[in-house]
Amino acid sequence: MSDNRPAGRVVAELGRPETPAETAARKAESSRLHRQRQTVNNLVYSLIATLGIVLVIVLLVPRNSPGTVGKPVDWKSVAAQGTGTEPDSLLSPDLPKGWSANAAELRTGGAADIDDWHIGFIAPDKQYVGLDQGFKADDTWVVTEVDSIRATGSQTIDGVKWVVYDNRADSSANVTYALVTTHGSSTVVLAGTAAPKYFDTVARALSPQLGAPQSDGSTN
């Protein structure tokens, strides 16, 4: 008994067996779509792998923000090592118990070739007061140190006049309060996130080194 069924694959849309050319075209298109899907999948897998590597790096690399407590630094010892290297003595205040520093370094050859003696103080409430003593600094340096906030007034503390930058209305800012004064070749900036009373503490401790006479501790 003979088999009269047509040769080739019957395609429902055509209602007849597909020709060899149509078979070849169909297989080529199927192969193209498969490669396309594989390419998209590979891109997704690569992106996931890359993000995973970035996440691992972020988790492993140590980060030390200004207010991080970290290991205490002996700022007096570091200041003593830098004695005589700048036109003015490096400031080294005596602070009461409960204060610490997470950084102390003399930064040379910085922006606009301005040397900067920096101490990162941690107040008793764990908030930050940065001390920066710029030698022969200009106004641009000050603007950078106070994070571009505007001066809001002035205050004399133990005979030293400070310009006040009060930015506490923006609690998310890197600098919420700052004090700035000058002495000799130095421009001194106290800036950070601590309460004003802690800035007052540092300013009072600095006053003897800023040429002010010893006082009874009252704010003028």
Side-chain angles (χ1 to χ4, degrees):
M1 181 177 180
S2 62
D3 188 352
N4 295 323
R5 288 178 299 176
R9 177 175 180 268
V10 177
V11 181
E13 292 83 355
L14 298 176
R16 60 173 175 75
E18 60 184 6
T19 65
E22 290 170 339
T23 300
R26 173 175 57 77
K27 291 181 177 180
E29 177 64 12
S30 177
S31 178
R32 185 188 69 81
L33 293 175
H34 176 73
R35 290 195 302 272
Q36 187 178 60
R37 286 192 297 270
Q38 287 294 103
T39 300
V40 172
N41 289 341
N42 289 340
L43 287 174
V44 172
Y45 296 148
S46 297
L47 179 59
I48 292 173
T50 301
L51 291 175
I53 293 171
V54 170
L55 178 60
V56 170
I57 293 174
V58 169
L59 292 175
L60 292 180
V61 173
R63 296 174 298 280
N64 187 23
S65 61
T68 302
V69 175
K71 184 178 179 179
V73 175
D74 183 357
W75 70 87
K76 288 185 172 294
S77 176
V78 180
Q81 293 172 18
T83 299
T85 60
E86 299 294 342
D88 296 331
S89 298
L90 304 188
L91 297 175
S92 183
D94 292 317
L95 294 174
K97 184 179 180 180
W99 284 81
S100 64
N102 65 359
E105 58 180 327
L106 179 60
R107 303 165 174 169
T108 59
D113 204 29
I114 296 171
D115 290 355
D116 172 17
W117 165 237
H118 170 77
I119 308 176
F121 289 118
I122 305 299
D125 67 348
K126 305 306 179 185
Q127 292 300 308
Y128 182 75
V129 179
L131 184 159
D132 284 275
Q133 179 183 6
F135 300 98
K136 299 179 181 180
D138 54 19
D139 292 341
T140 300
W141 181 84
V142 174
V143 169
T144 301
E145 293 301 315
V146 300
D147 204 24
S148 300
I149 61 178
R150 294 179 179 274
T152 56
S154 63
Q155 183 180 10
T156 300
I157 304 173
D158 279 0
V160 179
K161 186 176 181 179
W162 296 83
V163 179
V164 178
Y165 296 76
D166 191 340
N167 191 40
R168 286 175 291 169
D170 185 1
S171 60
S172 63
N174 292 326
V175 174
T176 57
Y177 197 81
L179 297 174
V180 178
T181 193
T182 57
H183 176 68
S185 298
S186 299
T187 300
V188 183
V189 178
L190 303 178
T193 57
K197 66 179 181 179
Y198 294 118
F199 283 85
D200 184 87
T201 298
V202 179
R204 289 180 187 279
L206 289 171
S207 61
Q209 293 181 274
L210 295 176
Q214 294 292 337
S215 71
D216 59 5
S218 62
T219 302
N220 298 326

